Amino acid sequence: MDDTAIKEREEFLSIAEAYIDKNLYKEAAHVAESWLKRYPIDADANIIRCHALLKMGNLEKVSEVLDDLETKVLELSRIYHHVGDLCLNAGLTKEAIKFYRKFIFLNPTVASAKEVYEKVSDLAAAIDDSAAGGDADTYSHTDQVAPDFCTTTLAELYIRQGHLDMAINVLREILKREPENRMVADRLNDVMAMQHDGIREKTSLHMEQNDVVIRELTRWLENIDRLRSHAS
């Protein structure tokens, strides 16, 4: 944004925050929607819009907004896959793995995610073999493996979508790093039993959509106080 746009955004946030404070949710939604026509992925504007819609009891519209945003985020996430390929072609294997993992985390259910996951596993194994017989400091400057929280979250996303084989692979990787982690071991046993018996965790589409909306909206609304700092 240029200086003019930045100033306009500050004014918009100030007005929208004032409407929210006065419980004028229809007006807040209107100004947010007007701003979003120009800047559709402005996070604060989307927070304001969802906040206002929720207060007006329009949960269905909130769901539509979040679905649309999810589509945009997933589309943009393809950048991670492409940059991963570029890094790999340039011989930057650990950097490629980092970007591939981000792509997988954002796209756990798409068909290409399984292929990328297998590529990451092969690349990581190759690096481990190389490090065992080479200089242990070769990659000391690169980022470490993603936090376990993200890895277990990825496993749960696979389970939720019925990709049990992929979830099992993720959980096994965690246990390689943390063999004493009983929680992960128990979850692995559960998933293996589900796979063996042909069981799939099922939730009605309506309830699942509401669950996604509520979780996402809760996360967004927890950040609504940030608008005050922008408006000040």
Side-chain angles (χ1 to χ4, degrees), residues 203-211:
T203 306
S204 71
L205 179 60
H206 178 71
M207 291 300 295
E208 184 172 340
Q209 288 176 338
N210 280 349
D211 183 54

Side-chain angles (χ1 to χ4, degrees), residues 35-66:
W35 181 260
L36 287 167
K37 289 179 181 179
R38 297 170 58 189
Y39 303 101
I41 59 173
D42 187 309
D44 289 326
N46 278 293
I47 290 172
I48 292 170
R49 186 185 186 193
C50 286
H51 188 173
L53 290 170
L54 181 65
K55 289 295 187 178
M56 290 189 291
N58 197 342
L59 185 59
E60 182 176 353
K61 186 63 177 179
V62 173
S63 179
E64 292 178 7
V65 171
L66 295 179

Side-chain angles (χ1 to χ4, degrees), residues 79-89 92 95-96 99-100:
I79 295 173
Y80 287 116
H81 190 180
H82 183 68
V83 174
D85 287 341
L86 293 175
C87 288
L88 186 60
N89 291 336
L92 303 173
E95 287 80 356
F99 291 119
Y100 285 146

Side-chain angles (χ1 to χ4, degrees), residues 10-22:
E10 291 174 349
E11 293 175 352
F12 150 66
L13 290 172
S14 179
I15 293 171
E17 177 68 11
Y19 281 143
I20 293 291
D21 287 343
K22 295 178 181 179

Side-chain angles (χ1 to χ4, degrees), residues 171-189:
L171 293 170
R172 281 174 173 166
E173 277 203 355
I174 298 174
L175 284 177
K176 287 179 182 178
R177 299 194 305 269
E178 301 179 33
E180 303 302 322
N181 192 325
R182 289 304 311 164
M183 183 178 296
V184 173
D186 290 343
R187 189 54 171 153
L188 175 60
N189 289 333

Side-chain angles (χ1 to χ4, degrees), residues 38-231:
R38 297 170 58 189
Y39 303 101
I41 59 173
D42 187 309
D44 289 326
N46 278 293
I47 290 172
I48 292 170
R49 186 185 186 193
C50 286
H51 188 173
L53 290 170
L54 181 65
K55 289 295 187 178
M56 290 189 291
N58 197 342
L59 185 59
E60 182 176 353
K61 186 63 177 179
V62 173
S63 179
E64 292 178 7
V65 171
L66 295 179
D67 286 344
D68 181 60
L69 285 173
E70 181 180 6
T71 299
K72 289 184 173 69
V73 169
L74 294 181
E75 183 67 19
L76 289 171
S77 72
R78 292 191 300 111
I79 295 173
Y80 287 116
H81 190 180
H82 183 68
V83 174
D85 287 341
L86 293 175
C87 288
L88 186 60
N89 291 336
L92 303 173
T93 305
K94 276 210 166 182
E95 287 80 356
I97 289 175
K98 177 180 68 176
F99 291 119
Y100 285 146
R101 280 181 171 143
K102 289 184 178 180
F103 172 77
I104 293 170
F105 183 73
L106 292 170
N107 295 271
T109 62
V110 299
S112 58
K114 183 174 183 178
E115 178 183 343
V116 175
Y117 178 81
E118 292 172 350
K119 181 188 294 187
V120 168
S121 297
D122 291 340
L123 291 172
I127 288 177
D128 289 341
D129 291 342
S130 176
D135 184 356
D137 294 328
T138 300
Y139 292 102
S140 61
H141 66 286
T142 59
D143 290 342
Q144 299 300 314
V145 176
D148 289 346
F149 173 76
C150 291
T151 305
T152 54
T153 299
L154 178 60
E156 292 302 324
L157 287 170
Y158 285 146
I159 294 168
R160 213 178 148 82
Q161 297 297 329
H163 300 294
L164 301 185
D165 55 338
M166 297 172 71
I168 289 171
N169 288 336
V170 172
L171 293 170
R172 281 174 173 166
E173 277 203 355
I174 298 174
L175 284 177
K176 287 179 182 178
R177 299 194 305 269
E178 301 179 33
E180 303 302 322
N181 192 325
R182 289 304 311 164
M183 183 178 296
V184 173
D186 290 343
R187 189 54 171 153
L188 175 60
N189 289 333
D190 291 341
V191 179
M192 291 178 67
M194 291 164 58
Q195 186 183 55
H196 178 73
D197 297 333
I199 299 173
R200 295 294 184 270
E201 293 182 348
K202 295 182 180 179
T203 306
S204 71
L205 179 60
H206 178 71
M207 291 300 295
E208 184 172 340
Q209 288 176 338
N210 280 349
D211 183 54
V212 172
V213 170
I214 291 170
R215 286 203 314 273
E216 281 297 302
L217 192 57
T218 298
R219 181 176 66 82
W220 281 20
L221 294 184
E222 285 175 350
N223 295 326
I224 195 66
D225 288 339
R226 290 189 299 113
L227 297 179
R228 296 183 184 278
S229 61
H230 287 298

